[in-house]
Amino acid sequence: MAERTPVDLWFDPFCPFAWITSRWLVEVEKVREIEPRWHIMSLNVLNEDKDISPEYREMIAAAIGPVRVVAAAAEKYGEHVVGPLYTELGTRFHNEGRPKEGPTIRDTLADALEAAGLDREVADAMDSADYDEAIRESHFRGMDLVGQEVGTPVIQVEGVAFFGPVLTKILRGEDAGRLWDGVRTVAGFEDFFELKRTRTRRPVFD
């Protein structure tokens, strides 16, 4: 068997575009020899010093809770649980549309933990600042690779990191592989920095 190429992805469970990119990587793993590795970042930390609207700041205020839970689970069980727990969280937040804030979010977090084979009580970490230093460390480990003017997702392959790719639907099968081939190609040029166009479609998770 060919050796698998490690691919690091930094995510905040709240972000729908990070979720789609992560599911694309899961599809790529089926058709290319890659090994996704999962790392947390934080929309709260990303925007703490930025001039953003009060509405957006209020919306992401609850985002720190799920990140804290992932950090707590990683500390208790090991980094290998981050990917499976992210899958369970993202499925509930994005595919099932369960609330990302409010009084029921703890139930969502606890259900995700249980589905990942972890202790439901780890959900209590959503209200604890004990994990914030670890979150910031992971966050800046990813963001320092690409600069502070971008967001999530961030991926790194073979020493090259960038924001994106940003997708509005999950590519599957050979389509997923073909996009990966393109990503690998541009990652091979140290002077390549950016391709971008305005999004005109909303994210689709099915």
Side-chain angles (χ1 to χ4, degrees):
M1 293 181 63
E3 185 176 352
R4 294 194 296 165
T5 300
V7 184
D8 296 283
L9 182 141
W10 279 263
F11 67 91
D12 185 309
F14 258 44
C15 180
F17 295 103
W19 175 243
I20 290 177
T21 299
S22 75
R23 297 311 94 182
W24 162 70
L25 275 183
V26 169
E27 292 295 314
V28 173
E29 189 179 15
K30 300 174 184 178
V31 294
R32 298 292 188 270
E33 296 296 332
I34 71 164
E35 178 188 358
R37 302 190 300 196
W38 313 101
H39 312 277
I40 50 175
M41 58 87 68
S42 168
L43 290 171
N44 297 80
V45 175
L46 179 71
N47 290 285
E48 61 187 358
D49 297 323
K50 293 184 178 179
D51 183 16
I52 60 175
S53 70
E55 292 79 15
Y56 184 65
R57 192 170 296 282
E58 181 179 357
M59 182 186 75
I60 65 172
I64 193 65
V67 181
R68 285 171 171 168
V69 169
V70 177
E75 180 178 294
K76 181 173 182 177
Y77 296 100
E79 292 292 329
H80 66 280
V81 305
V82 173
L85 180 54
Y86 179 34
T87 293
E88 299 299 338
L89 286 169
T91 298
R92 284 159 179 76
F93 285 153
H94 304 297
N95 295 68
E96 298 176 5
R98 293 181 63 171
K100 296 181 181 180
E101 55 188 334
T104 63
I105 188 172
R106 190 193 180 284
D107 293 336
T108 302
L109 298 175
D111 289 349
L113 286 159
E114 183 175 24
L118 310 176
D119 184 356
R120 292 177 63 89
E121 297 307 310
V122 176
D124 291 341
M126 65 175 285
D127 296 318
S128 172
D130 291 348
Y131 305 95
D132 289 3
E133 183 176 348
I135 291 169
R136 295 180 74 88
E137 180 181 344
S138 179
H139 174 94
F140 286 111
R141 192 162 61 246
M143 300 308 295
D144 287 349
L145 296 171
V146 292
Q148 301 303 311
E149 71 274 12
V150 298
T152 180
V154 166
I155 68 171
Q156 176 181 236
V157 56
E158 296 184 335
V160 178
F162 42 82
F163 168 60
V166 176
L167 306 169
T168 56
K169 74 173 184 178
I170 303 164
L171 300 181
R172 303 186 187 279
E174 189 57 24
D175 283 344
R178 287 173 55 218
L179 178 59
W180 173 250
D181 295 340
V183 168
R184 286 291 301 274
T185 297
V186 299
F189 292 87
E190 65 178 14
D191 291 309
F192 173 81
F193 284 93
E194 185 173 3
L195 281 173
K196 190 171 183 178
R197 61 176 175 166
T198 300
R199 288 195 306 269
T200 58
R201 300 176 186 173
R202 297 180 62 82
V204 177
F205 307 116
D206 59 9

